[in-house]
Amino acid sequence: MVQPFLAQGWSVAVTLTPTAGTWLEASGESRKIQEITGFPVRVAPRMPGQQSPHPTVDCYALVPASANTVAKLALGIADNQALTTACEALGGGYVPVVVFPRVNAAHARQPAWNSHITGLRRAGADLIYGDDVWPLHEPRSAPGRQLPWQTIRERIQAAAQRS
């Protein structure tokens, strides 16, 4: 997702949840992202008084967002750097937040799920969610399924233009 935005002249900075940070560090992707963006990939918060290593943000994109990340964002639980910045953006209402819940049908049947989706919509998040974009599947029934990257990029571009 990063390279197409860079090709269009965007500045892209990446902040990861701890789990995503572990995965991307192990695969070498964090280093690659840092090299092509020119910004450090953040997982941990900065120290008090330390200036942010990332530029001013025009749009936050939580892509792909796990069911855990969606639930925490909807409830305002900012227990890692990625959620802290996204929760601030939703609460501030001045920077758009785009969320692509990469979940399966079992996640969506969890009793609290609909309230999370409703809460995020009410807070102004731009949700990329629904059968027209990402039909839900049963757990482990669609390995290797490609994410709707074109739709995700278009929604991020539209949200950033509104800011």
Side-chain angles (χ1 to χ4, degrees):
M1 187 173 83
V2 171
Q3 288 177 323
F5 284 116
L6 292 173
Q8 293 177 358
W10 289 45
S11 291
V12 178
V14 176
T15 301
L16 302 169
T17 63
T19 300
T22 299
W23 293 343
L24 269 65
E25 185 65 33
S27 70
E29 289 298 312
S30 285
R31 182 183 45 73
K32 290 177 188 175
I33 292 169
Q34 184 167 318
E35 287 173 2
I36 65 171
T37 64
F39 298 109
V41 173
R42 293 186 67 195
V43 176
R46 57 189 160 87
M47 297 300 293
Q50 185 180 26
Q51 194 166 16
S52 175
H54 287 172
T56 302
V57 176
D58 294 320
C59 180
Y60 286 92
L62 285 80
V63 177
S66 68
N68 186 55
T69 294
V70 170
K72 287 180 176 183
L73 183 62
L75 295 171
I77 299 172
D79 66 350
N80 63 60
Q81 184 59 34
L83 280 165
T84 295
T85 56
C87 284
E88 286 175 352
L90 274 181
Y94 50 88
V95 177
V97 177
V98 176
V99 182
F100 169 65
R102 199 280 186 219
V103 299
N104 62 43
H107 291 131
R109 287 190 300 264
Q110 200 283 338
W113 181 255
N114 285 336
S115 66
H116 297 323
I117 294 298
T118 300
L120 287 175
R121 284 190 172 125
R122 197 173 304 130
D126 182 354
L127 284 166
I128 303 170
Y129 183 71
D131 287 338
D132 58 326
V133 178
W134 182 258
L136 298 178
H137 56 87
E138 293 303 317
R140 291 167 286 291
S141 69
R145 184 174 174 200
Q146 288 295 308
L147 300 182
W149 291 117
Q150 182 64 32
T151 299
I152 292 167
R153 285 191 298 271
E154 288 170 1
R155 296 281 285 276
I156 292 168
Q157 288 173 323
Q161 289 173 350
R162 290 191 303 268
S163 67

